[in-house]
């Protein structure tokens, strides 16, 4: 049985103020063409269909067209909600549109209710685990504590129990939206840290034949049966080296992985990251290939040049981002606030603040726990309010 595994469409998202709706529509065209060309048996969409809980109308219209086209092919499509989606909004009408072969899995309580497909070798059970916000689903799933690993293990226990009650030889696929240990993040994913721990081990998914993951935007293989498709489009310059693809997965008669092929997705414009002094960037002939790319430029001039964006745009007309990191400047006092915070979590920033106001004394374990709990509470409340909007 062949599956096309994709995720993280982020419909409605822009790229440094560039409207990406046209590129997203081109991806949907490509998706439909790929399903037809490769005679795919089912499409798996592992969350973050939209970029935010209340998406703009053009994004909703594109989503609607995508569902109609996939339903028109007669190929089952299984979709889960991600951490950017509103599960309740995405799940509206789920029961009705199942008749068209579109299966929306947005309710954590239904994670052990699979979509069952069949081929000459028997049944394949597809389980959809929507993004599980730990504080909101702990009691629903009977997890022993609040945390990504705890709620995912509780959900997977339900999946394994359901699978155990099915006919021997039933093959299994799980869709999930999570940060799994070993995955490489980029700058465009929203943090899902809870309790200071954001990654879950791959063995959470033990006992199933294939795990179609969403959340991380780079296509990657955690192990042979646990994979991220990545986003079909780049949404940050940290993805400049990504090759954007979907996974074409073939599941064999006994649940073995009989094939795993990366299908490239359309690239609206390549990305380029430049660093150096302004005059060097303007004159260097080796940078000719960057002239038609979207550009992130970091200038290292000791003194900020005059009108740098306009001068860069004269050679690189698609420059979108400009930063300054002067060479030789002392990092402590001269680095910008954004530079000093880059790559640091809210928890680390808060702990640094505690040390600063104390004149050097670090936060102790009890204080770190209080800070961690406060951040988790605020983030959970924001997710709950977003869901109810």
């Amino acid at each position: 049985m062949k599956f096309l595994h994709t995720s993280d469409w982020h419909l409605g998202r822009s790229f440094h103020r560039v409207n990406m709706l046209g590129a997203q529509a081109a991806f949907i065209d490509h998706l439909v063409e790929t399903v037809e060309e490769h005679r795919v048996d089912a499409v798996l969409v592992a969350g973050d269909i939209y970029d935010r809980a209340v998406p703009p109308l053009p994004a909703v219209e594109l989503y609607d067209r995508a569902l109609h086209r996939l339903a028109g092919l007669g190929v089952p499509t299984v979709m889960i909600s991600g951490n950017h989606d509103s599960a309740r909004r995405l799940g509206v009408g789920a029961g009705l549109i199942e008749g068209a072969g579109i299966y929306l899995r947005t309710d954590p309580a239904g994670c052990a209710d699979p979509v069952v497909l069949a081929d000459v070798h028997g049944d394949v059970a597809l389980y959809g685990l929507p993004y599980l916000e730990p504080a909101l689903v702990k009691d629903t799933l009977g997890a022993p504590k609040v945390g990504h690993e705890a709620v995912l293990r509780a959900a997977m226990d339900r999946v394994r129990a359901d699978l155990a009650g099915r006919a021997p030889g039933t093959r299994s696929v799980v869709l999930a939206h999570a940060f799994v240990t070993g995955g490489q993040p980029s700058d465009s994913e929203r943090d899902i840290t809870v309790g200071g721990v954001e990654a879950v081990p791959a063995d959470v998914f033990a006992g199933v034949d294939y795990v179609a993951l969403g959340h991380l935007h780079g296509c990657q293989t955690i192990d042979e049966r646990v994979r991220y498709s990545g986003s079909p489009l780049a949404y940050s310059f940290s993805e400049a080296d990504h090759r954007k693809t979907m996974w074409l997965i073939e599941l064999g008669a006994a649940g073995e992985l009989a094939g795993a092929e990366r299908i490239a997705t359309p690239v609206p414009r390549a990305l380029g990251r430049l660093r150096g002094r302004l005059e060097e960037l303007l004159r260097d002939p080796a940078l000719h290939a960057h002239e038609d790319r979207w550009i992130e430029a970091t200038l290292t001039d000791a003194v900020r040049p005059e009108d740098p964006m306009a001068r860069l745009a004269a050679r690189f007309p698609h420059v979108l981002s400009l930063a300054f990191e002067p060479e030789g400047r002392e990092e402590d006092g001269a680095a910008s606030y954004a530079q000093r915070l880059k790559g640091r979590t809210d928890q680390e920033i808060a702990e640094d603040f505690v040390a600063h106001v104390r004149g050097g004394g670090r936060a102790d374990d009890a204080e770190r726990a209080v800070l961690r709990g406060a951040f988790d509470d605020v983030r959970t409340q924001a997710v709950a309010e977003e869901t109810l909007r």
Side-chain angles (χ1 to χ4, degrees):
M1 190 172 286
K2 286 184 181 179
F3 303 104
L4 190 62
H5 167 198
T6 177
S7 73
D8 296 274
W9 296 357
H10 289 279
L11 300 181
R13 186 165 186 163
S14 60
F15 182 80
H16 289 266
R17 300 178 302 282
V18 174
N19 188 319
M20 296 291 283
L21 201 66
Q24 291 167 342
F27 161 69
I28 296 299
D29 291 341
H30 177 68
L31 172 72
V32 171
E33 291 165 4
T34 302
V35 170
E36 292 182 298
E37 178 185 348
H38 292 275
R39 300 180 182 273
V40 170
D41 295 301
V43 176
L44 314 178
V45 188
D48 281 354
I49 288 86
Y50 291 122
D51 189 55
R52 56 181 187 264
V54 185
L57 183 57
V60 177
E61 292 172 340
L62 178 56
Y63 168 73
D64 182 60
R65 292 198 301 273
L67 292 193
H68 275 83
R69 294 179 68 183
L70 289 168
L73 296 177
V75 176
T77 298
V78 184
M79 312 176 88
I80 61 173
S81 49
N83 61 301
H84 280 250
D85 299 309
S86 166
R88 291 182 65 180
R89 281 191 175 82
L90 194 65
V92 168
L96 291 174
I97 66 174
E98 281 197 10
I102 305 293
Y103 301 90
L104 295 173
R105 293 295 186 258
T106 63
D107 183 358
C111 62
D113 178 22
V115 178
V116 181
L117 306 179
D119 62 12
V120 295
H121 304 296
D123 288 348
V124 179
L126 291 84
Y127 298 89
L129 277 57
Y131 170 67
L132 303 174
E133 180 61 42
L136 300 182
V137 303
K138 171 184 173 292
D139 294 337
T140 299
L141 296 175
K145 62 180 181 178
V146 173
H148 282 294
E149 182 175 349
V151 296
L152 270 172
R153 285 196 184 279
M156 283 302 302
D157 285 344
R158 293 186 173 202
V159 167
R160 285 184 283 264
D162 179 84
L163 190 58
R166 296 189 174 273
T170 297
R171 291 158 290 167
S172 55
V173 173
V174 165
L175 289 77
H177 197 85
F179 188 172
V180 176
T181 303
Q184 296 299 313
S186 61
D187 292 344
S188 54
E189 299 124 4
R190 182 187 294 171
D191 181 30
I192 57 173
T193 302
V194 166
V197 179
E198 57 186 10
V200 299
D203 68 8
V204 164
F205 301 104
V208 296
D209 297 313
Y210 183 72
V211 182
L213 292 175
H215 180 57
L216 299 184
H217 288 185
C219 181
Q220 49 200 296
T221 300
I222 303 301
D223 63 38
E224 190 68 8
R225 64 183 185 86
V226 180
R227 298 169 185 255
Y228 283 99
S229 66
S231 60
L233 297 167
Y235 291 113
S236 72
F237 279 103
S238 66
E239 300 168 61
D241 294 331
H242 287 189
R243 183 164 72 92
K244 295 300 184 181
T245 58
M246 302 176 285
W247 281 114
L248 181 63
I249 297 296
E250 187 169 358
L251 208 59
E256 76 280 9
L257 198 63
E261 179 185 354
R262 291 179 68 178
I263 305 293
T265 55
V267 177
R269 191 178 297 279
L271 307 184
R273 307 183 89 173
L274 303 180
R275 182 183 181 87
R277 296 176 183 175
L278 178 58
E279 291 299 329
E280 294 171 349
L281 298 182
L282 294 178
R283 296 175 181 175
D284 189 349
L287 300 181
H288 174 72
H290 288 71
E291 292 174 2
D292 194 45
R293 297 177 180 178
W294 280 323
I295 293 297
E296 175 193 67
T298 301
L299 299 184
T300 60
D301 300 74
V303 177
R304 185 182 295 244
E306 183 179 350
D307 207 9
M309 195 66 163
R311 292 168 66 188
L312 278 169
R315 180 179 184 187
F316 306 104
H318 305 290
V319 60
L320 298 179
S321 176
L322 180 61
F324 296 91
E325 294 183 12
E327 290 177 345
R329 184 173 290 184
E330 287 296 328
E331 197 168 320
D332 286 345
S336 72
Y337 182 68
Q339 290 165 349
R340 295 198 303 273
L341 298 188
K342 188 174 183 180
R344 300 185 66 73
T345 66
D346 290 341
Q347 176 84 16
E348 291 169 332
I349 293 167
E351 291 178 16
D352 286 349
F353 176 75
V354 170
H356 172 72
V357 296
R358 283 183 176 160
R362 307 295 299 178
D364 60 29
D365 290 345
E367 290 166 332
R368 283 196 293 272
V370 169
L371 289 170
R372 191 159 50 241
F375 282 121
D376 289 349
D377 288 347
V378 169
R379 194 177 54 79
T380 300
Q381 181 181 352
V383 171
E385 290 175 351
E386 194 172 69
T387 300
L388 295 172
R389 284 173 60 192

